[in-house]
Each structure stands twice: as C-alpha cells, then as structure tokens.
Amino acid sequence: MTSLELPGDLVECMGDSEGEDALQLFAMLQNPGRDEDPILLADRFRAIAGQLTQLLRQSAEPYRALRNFARIVESVQERRIPFYTQLVEDPENLRVLGYLAGWSDFLSRLVSSEPEVIQRIFELIESPLADERIATLAEEGRRQIEETSKVDRELGRLRVRELALIAIRDLDGLPPLRVSRAMSALAETIVGLALEFAIIERDEMWGRPQVEGMPSRFAVLGCGKMGSGELVYGSDLDVIFVADSGGTCTKKDDRTGEEFWMRVCQRLTQLIQGNNLYEVDARLRPWGDQGRMVVTLKTLREYWSKPRDIWERLAMTR
C-alpha cells in the first residue's frame, strides 16, 4: 500500500531543511513495528492522518509538533497498531497528543520517556486534577510503589502523568490560579510519598526514635510559592525540615533522633532532586546555609522571636 505524503502546504511553510526532515518523519510514522501487519498499520494511520495534519496546521510551529509527535510514537516501539487504534477510536486522545507535541518540547520528552503513562493519560483526561483528588492520588502512588518496590520510578511516572494532565487543561483555558493549585497539590503529594518511604527505609535499619516514650515527629514545611499553593512550571520547592529534638533510635540506641531525621532528610532530597522531579531549596531555614538542615520547633520559635529581614518574613507568611 502506498504511503501517505505530508501535504505540500505544510512542507512549504517549514522551509527547505525542516521540510525535508518533516517528510522523513511523516514516512517514519507509517513504518510498522516488528511483526506488525503493514496493511493494518497503514489503515490505522490513514484514519488519523487528516486530524493529525489539521493539528499540525493549528500549531505555532508545525515542524516541532510533528517532531514531538514522532518522538512519542517511537516510544511505543512495537505497539504502533494498538496505539493508532486508540487514536482512531477516540479522536480526543489524538487531540491531547497534538497539544503536548505542538506546545511543549519538555512535556513531549517526559511523556516519551515513560510511554507506559500515555495510556493512563488517556484514561484520566476527564478526571479531576491533582488538587481535587489529592487523597486518592497519594493512595494510588503509594500502592504502585508498594507493588513495584521502585520508589524513584513510580514517583517519576506520577509526576509525568499528572503534569501532562495539568498542561492539557491549561492549554484548554484553565485559569492560571487553578493550574497553580493543581501543580502545588502534585508537588505536595510527591513530597509526602517520598517522605513516607524515606522514613520506612530508615525505620527498618535504625528504628524510629522515641522521645519520652512517644515516636519522634518530622515535618516538611512548604514556604514561598509552595506554601501558598502558587507553583508554576519550573518552580523549585522552598521547604524547611522540622523535627522533634532529642530521642534515640529503637533498634540502634547509639543513634540519635537528630541523626535519624538527617538521614531521612537526605533520602527525601535524593528521591526528589536526584531524580530531577523538583529542585529542593531549604535555605529559608533559620540562618540559611549556616544553619542545621533539620531544625527543631524550639529553634524555629527562638529564631522568629527576633527581628528578621522583610523578604524573609514575606517568604514565611506565604
């Protein structure tokens, strides 16, 4: 069966260099995976080609949109026929991918790096966003981590999926405040899950510290935009790590509560920042870089009982 060609008006608007590359990308989209029926693949692609070219025309940069769409298709590898079938059966799925491909190189790279989440994006496209289902979102993430025992991978998948869902609604005209609320809820969920499993890991090795017969407590305080629920694309997370003072670990009595929570803090930061989920900035803690990474409630009270710079107070009041 003869392959479809990219419409000439699209090729012309891209220019010579990009136009030539676009022709090759459009042809690549029609190449079957290993053991796939080329006739069936061609049939499925023909069914979406018209809507795809229309989405390319509507994008600000048709070549970039086509390149990103091809990147997503390549990520599904040998499953192109079922992938195209989903787009045929529900044109909304194709519109969603067209949005991602046409408006965000960043999101297209994220989605193509985790092709397993594409199906979940299709399933959840009409669902409430992260701020409206924060409890169930955390429970789902917790369950996936427990099932796979891969904290890093599942946190990354959760972020990619939910960030894509937020961006799609954003492109559909969601008010900026709602976008920020959803992004902030997503970050809160990921930090909460990372904290849970950082505590579990350290508890298994050292035992959670006890203070006067009660389990020692730890909290992550959100400051700045995180504290006010105003995160945007690319925001870092301004935080303060706070723990009860004193205590010794129940399995290793030569380890103090301060040591336990410092290790938890390090693991939490590694899970979030080491896997490029978010940048963690803890410099708003008392005395900034010169102060302890994990502070106590007593330290916080003493620090804020004295006059501080206006910028620092503003960051805390958010």
Side-chain angles (χ1 to χ4, degrees):
M1 182 177 290
T2 305
S3 297
L4 295 178
E5 292 188 0
L6 190 65
D9 63 309
L10 277 172
V11 177
E12 185 176 349
C13 79
M14 294 178 190
D16 293 339
S17 176
E18 290 184 347
E20 185 63 32
D21 288 343
L23 289 172
Q24 296 177 17
L25 289 172
F26 202 72
M28 182 277 295
L29 293 174
Q30 302 172 67
N31 294 334
R34 186 174 54 192
D35 300 327
E36 287 193 316
D37 182 348
I39 296 177
L40 182 56
L41 180 78
D43 177 72
R44 295 292 185 270
F45 185 77
R46 284 178 180 276
I48 66 170
Q51 185 183 358
L52 174 60
T53 54
Q54 185 61 27
L55 288 168
L56 294 177
R57 288 190 178 94
Q58 293 171 353
S59 65
E61 298 180 41
Y63 172 73
R64 182 179 70 173
L66 178 59
R67 181 195 61 202
N68 286 334
F69 184 80
R71 176 185 287 129
I72 293 171
V73 172
E74 281 188 303
S75 73
V76 304
Q77 299 178 349
E78 311 303 326
R79 296 174 285 128
R80 293 192 182 187
I81 289 177
F83 179 71
Y84 286 161
T85 298
Q86 283 188 299
L87 304 184
V88 172
E89 293 176 348
D90 189 348
E92 176 67 9
N93 290 337
L94 180 55
R95 187 184 75 87
V96 165
L97 291 185
Y99 261 177
L100 294 178
W103 296 99
S104 177
D105 293 346
F106 169 70
L107 285 174
S108 296
R109 285 194 296 270
L110 282 182
V111 170
S112 60
S113 71
E114 290 287 354
E116 296 86 353
V117 308
I118 295 176
Q119 179 62 39
R120 289 293 288 154
I121 291 173
F122 291 164
E123 294 170 357
L124 294 170
I125 192 59
E126 300 296 334
S127 299
L129 293 178
D131 58 318
E132 298 175 316
R133 61 183 222 283
I134 190 167
T136 57
L137 185 63
E139 183 55 39
E140 180 186 349
R142 192 176 295 114
R143 184 173 61 253
Q144 286 297 116
I145 292 171
E146 290 173 348
E147 288 177 358
T148 64
S149 299
K150 296 179 179 178
V151 182
D152 307 45
R153 182 177 182 182
E154 295 304 331
L155 289 178
R157 285 181 171 180
L158 178 65
R159 177 174 177 265
V160 169
R161 186 190 77 202
E162 294 299 319
L163 191 59
L165 291 171
I166 294 168
I168 292 163
R169 302 288 180 83
D170 187 8
L171 291 167
D172 269 336
L174 190 70
L177 183 58
R178 282 284 289 107
V179 173
S180 291
R181 280 171 48 193
M183 286 191 170
S184 300
L186 173 60
E188 180 182 335
T189 300
I190 289 177
V191 170
L193 289 170
L195 175 58
E196 284 183 28
F197 285 90
I199 292 175
I200 289 171
E201 289 177 0
R202 186 54 47 182
D203 188 14
E204 290 176 349
M205 290 184 280
W206 290 4
R208 187 158 179 163
Q210 300 276 321
V211 178
E212 298 181 354
M214 298 294 292
S216 177
R217 299 170 299 171
F218 180 91
V220 180
L221 304 183
C223 306
K225 289 183 177 181
M226 184 180 183
S228 60
E230 297 176 297
L231 292 182
V232 296
Y233 299 99
S235 289
D236 59 8
L237 306 184
D238 291 313
V239 299
I240 297 177
F241 300 114
V242 187
D244 284 328
S245 60
T248 56
C249 297
T250 55
K251 293 181 181 178
K252 286 185 173 289
D253 57 12
D254 61 332
R255 296 290 186 173
T256 65
E258 286 82 359
E259 291 175 296
F260 182 94
W261 293 119
M262 177 58 73
R263 293 296 184 92
V264 167
C265 174
Q266 292 170 344
R267 178 58 171 150
L268 168 65
T269 303
Q270 186 273 324
L271 284 171
I272 296 173
Q273 186 165 285
N275 292 291
N276 297 316
L277 303 181
Y278 299 98
E279 288 292 323
V280 178
D281 189 344
R283 290 176 296 175
L284 286 176
R285 66 187 183 271
W287 300 287
D289 289 337
Q290 304 304 312
R292 289 179 175 272
M293 182 64 72
V294 182
V295 300
T296 66
L297 286 173
K298 180 181 178 182
T299 298
L300 277 181
R301 292 191 189 99
E302 292 177 350
Y303 184 81
W304 286 107
S305 67
K306 297 178 175 60
R308 298 296 168 192
D309 291 337
I310 291 177
W311 69 266
E312 195 172 8
R313 290 190 175 276
L314 287 174
M316 289 298 291
T317 58
R318 297 178 75 178

